[in-house]
Amino acid sequence: MEYLYILCLLAPCYATLNNKKFPDDFMFGTATSSYQVEGAWNEDGKGENIWDRLLHTNPNFTVNGDNGDITCNSYHKYKEDVALVKELNVTHYRFSLAWARILPNGHVDQINEAGVQYYKNLITELRANNIEPFVTIYHWDLPQTLQDEGGWPNSNIVDAFVDYARLCFQLFGDEVKYWMTFNEPKNTCWQGYGAGTKAPGIKAAGIEDYLCSHNLLKAHAKAWHVYDEEFRATQKGQVGIVIDSNWWEPSTNSSDDLEASETKLQFTFGWYAHPIFIGDYPKVMKNNIRRRSLAQGYTKSRLPEFTPEEIEFIKGTADFLGVNMYSSALVTPVENHDVNAIGYEADSEVRDWLSENWKRGASPWLVVTPWGVQKLLRWIKEQYDNPRIIITENGYSDYDGTLDDVDRIDYIQQYLSSVRDAMDEDGVDVFGYTVWSLMDNLEWVYGFTNKFGLYNVDFNSPNRTRTAKKSVGVYQNIIRTRCLVDDCIDS
Ligand SMILES: *[C@@H]1O[C@H](CO)[C@@H](O)[C@H](O)[C@H]1NC(C)=O
Ligand SMILES: *[C@@H]1O[C@H](CO)[C@@H](O)[C@H](O)[C@H]1NC(C)=O
Ligand SMILES: *[C@@H]1O[C@H](CO)[C@@H](O)[C@H](O)[C@H]1NC(C)=O
Ligand SMILES: *[C@@H]1O[C@H](CO)[C@@H](O)[C@H](O)[C@H]1NC(C)=O
């Protein structure tokens, strides 16, 4: 009791869920990504990607040496996956295309027809079941050949990506109306080329992560313009991007901590959203990184500059904004910061940590803070002039994949309630919500030990048997009633 009381003092209590109906056209969905579920890593002409390479050459990069060679075997079981998606009754299924399955060497001079056919089959199966395909063009699995050419920090990648994106629009655009260029660019760039905690595992923080983002933003914008000029009139779809962030809660209400929260939001969300929705990088990033770079003896900022033409070209290139949000952290300014520390995190001059009072998921970064999603959505609305938003990921991990997943149910209900509050109280334009994930899958460095699925997958069985968890029934019910409580009032 006392524990509960303390929780309620520190954060709003969510004993009661929002009782307003979600709008009739609100999209409820679920998601996966190619490397995490497909398997068939070298079948039917697929090329090697950076995750294949990293986890084959360095198996202890992941817990238990787990990798995506087989994982959920969705390449062979996609019809079964679609049947599960259908059973959920969702409006959309978010999945990603494996670049190296379509283009084994990353370039459009060599197309792998079997890979193209796989995605055509998947999309056809979804359409046949009245499920909207929601397609991520890039979810972290870069063809290894492109990494060998320098990867995201090399500006040659921009045209390689745009050629690939154009091909995707040509091949699949008649049946796909929602495109996302990139999933979580911060994790592609900072974790991939800065912290080295995701493939290709390069540790060049404060340098290559900024080069990566610079190229990625140009690639995103160019792909959006290609769609806009060559495909939109006939295909009538939309192209967005998926950006992730925690909510960064000021650790006190001091002006320093409030400012630290704003700075951290700009360094995480603003890094990508500011160039796309406002133009150019956030001021605080430009200022901090330049000041620190010069003090460190660089002749110019480690953060690359956009030309005025590039700023204009990138601005306005999202028809909708995908937001991945799971968690929160407390923030405060770093006192006596080391001016010589070169790195993206050091550049923010903000320290973050998790409150011990917050309930945790299996993933070390995941704390249950439903109120954070309303705060983040409100901040996004105010910053970027009320964009159309879809929550493209949100979900809860446990260790055992239990079928009696009451913690996941609780998490989904509370976060959805907070999303509904943001729509209701703050007028945030949210048109959909997507549970991560359809099924337990390869959770990157945590391998198969962090389980996010609505469906359990038996990784010990060659059949990779899928079994519904309790959350499936709860989510079906939310979708059918468009309501989180027993009796909703109309919206
Ligand atoms: C990774 O595995 C290699 C060989 O299997 C071993 O020598 C090395 O100590 C391991 N590294 C870590 C960090 O566990
Ligand atoms: C900061 O102020 C807000 C609004 O007055 C309040 O809800 C919140 O609890 C305060 N936070 C802290 C850490 O004191
Ligand atoms: C394989 O899995 C499916 C569901 O995922 C199940 O219906 C079927 O019975 C399983 N087959 C075997 C042999 O386990
Ligand atoms: C699926 O949606 C339809 C239409 O809203 C509804 O009639 C049906 O009961 C739903 N099925 C489940 C399992 O919730």
Side-chain angles (χ1 to χ4, degrees), residues 9-11 249-254 258 330 375:
L9 275 181
L10 290 174
E249 177 72 4
S251 56
T252 73
N253 275 331
S254 72
L258 294 171
L330 296 171
K375 290 188 178 193

Side-chain angles (χ1 to χ4, degrees), residues 362-424:
S363 311
W365 48 268
L366 198 160
V367 285
V368 182
T369 51
W371 43 270
V373 75
Q374 181 178 11
K375 290 188 178 193
L376 181 67
L377 288 170
R378 186 191 303 152
W379 182 86
I380 292 169
K381 179 195 170 183
E382 285 165 6
Q383 278 285 311
Y384 308 114
D385 194 18
N386 201 15
R388 290 182 67 238
I389 294 172
I390 175 163
I391 304 289
T392 31
E393 284 182 29
N394 176 245
Y396 179 83
S397 59
D398 55 35
Y399 293 105
D400 56 5
T402 176
L403 301 184
D404 187 23
D405 57 340
V406 288
D407 291 333
R408 177 168 299 100
I409 290 169
D410 200 44
Y411 179 102
I412 290 172
Q413 287 175 329
Q414 292 191 34
Y415 274 73
L416 259 174
S417 180
S418 184
V419 168
R420 189 70 189 85
D421 288 344
M423 298 163 68
D424 192 26

Side-chain angles (χ1 to χ4, degrees), residues 77 80 463 465-466:
K77 292 175 79 83
E80 212 178 292
N463 188 24
T465 311
R466 282 88 156 125

Side-chain angles (χ1 to χ4, degrees), residues 6 20 25 39 42 49 52 63 73 128 134 147 192-193 205 273 275 287 293-294 336 338 353 364 369 378 436 457:
I6 291 169
K20 297 218 175 52
D25 57 357
N42 62 354
N49 67 41
D52 296 324
V63 176
N73 203 15
F134 225 87
Q147 179 53 36
Y193 297 90
N287 291 347
S293 300
L294 298 183
N336 308 318
D338 175 8
W353 69 99
T369 51
R378 186 191 303 152
W436 184 270
V457 176

